[in-house]
Amino acid sequence: YTGDPLYSHGTYTTMENRFRQQVSFDKLMMIGKAKVSGRLRLEERWRDGFAGTAWRLRPYVKLSVPVKGKVALNLSHESFIDLNTNTFQKVAGEERMRNAISLNAPIGKHVALEVGYLEQHGFVANAADTNDHVAMIQLNLSF
């Protein structure tokens, strides 16, 4: 479940609620020392003030290449594919994709720092597509 108060609807902010089901594939494939992993996520989404359920598929794939010691170069791709239309999800099909490159380095027994770049391309019907460029810094905890 995720509640995202991101959407403006008149004079109030609309909350988006999500129910997610996913299957993760760690070490889907090895290419030499490089590891390919992935995830397939299905989201059911609802927004306050809007009728209907939006269905979205989010396949994700990551290639992790050892650089030196436990430091790894990561390349990843994630697509956001709208499976239906409703009152707030107007067009079915690929909505956006995220491509990222990062370096991941352990900084403790259960802590890693990941620094990189993410480009998000939005597909916009009957208008110019959008591109967002994001500098990423993540602290990953593993228990």
Side-chain angles (χ1 to χ4, degrees), residues 72-138:
L73 173 69
N74 294 325
L75 303 168
S76 65
H77 170 84
E78 181 176 25
S79 287
F80 291 65
I81 303 165
D82 296 338
L83 299 177
N84 68 330
T85 60
N86 68 7
T87 54
F88 65 90
Q89 185 166 283
K90 302 293 184 192
V91 179
E94 189 162 16
E95 170 192 332
R96 75 182 98 142
M97 67 176 165
R98 292 178 179 163
N99 297 296
I101 183 169
S102 62
L103 283 173
N104 184 296
I107 58 173
K109 187 173 180 178
H110 300 286
V111 182
L113 180 66
E114 191 164 354
V115 178
Y117 164 77
L118 178 136
E119 189 272 338
Q120 177 172 271
H121 182 88
F123 299 97
V124 181
N126 304 316
D129 289 354
T130 62
N131 284 292
D132 299 313
H133 304 278
V134 180
M136 299 185 320
I137 299 174
Q138 294 181 173

Side-chain angles (χ1 to χ4, degrees), residues 3-130:
D4 291 331
L6 301 175
Y7 305 96
S8 178
H9 185 272
T11 58
Y12 63 94
T13 300
T14 299
M15 179 72 71
E16 178 169 298
N17 299 292
R18 298 179 190 154
F19 182 71
R20 299 175 176 162
Q21 304 94 53
Q22 74 179 34
V23 178
S24 297
F25 304 95
D26 191 36
K27 277 193 182 176
L28 185 61
M29 175 188 336
M30 295 295 293
I31 303 171
K33 293 185 178 189
K35 176 176 79 169
V36 178
S37 58
R39 177 194 75 220
L40 188 58
R41 176 180 289 168
L42 179 65
E43 294 180 331
E44 296 171 63
R45 302 164 49 228
W46 304 271
R47 289 190 189 160
D48 293 343
F50 293 90
T53 300
W55 291 84
R56 181 165 67 191
L57 189 65
R58 291 178 56 182
Y60 172 84
V61 65
K62 178 172 85 171
L63 175 69
S64 185
V65 182
V67 176
K68 184 174 182 178
K70 293 187 177 186
V71 176
L73 173 69
N74 294 325
L75 303 168
S76 65
H77 170 84
E78 181 176 25
S79 287
F80 291 65
I81 303 165
D82 296 338
L83 299 177
N84 68 330
T85 60
N86 68 7
T87 54
F88 65 90
Q89 185 166 283
K90 302 293 184 192
V91 179
E94 189 162 16
E95 170 192 332
R96 75 182 98 142
M97 67 176 165
R98 292 178 179 163
N99 297 296
I101 183 169
S102 62
L103 283 173
N104 184 296
I107 58 173
K109 187 173 180 178
H110 300 286
V111 182
L113 180 66
E114 191 164 354
V115 178
Y117 164 77
L118 178 136
E119 189 272 338
Q120 177 172 271
H121 182 88
F123 299 97
V124 181
N126 304 316
D129 289 354
T130 62

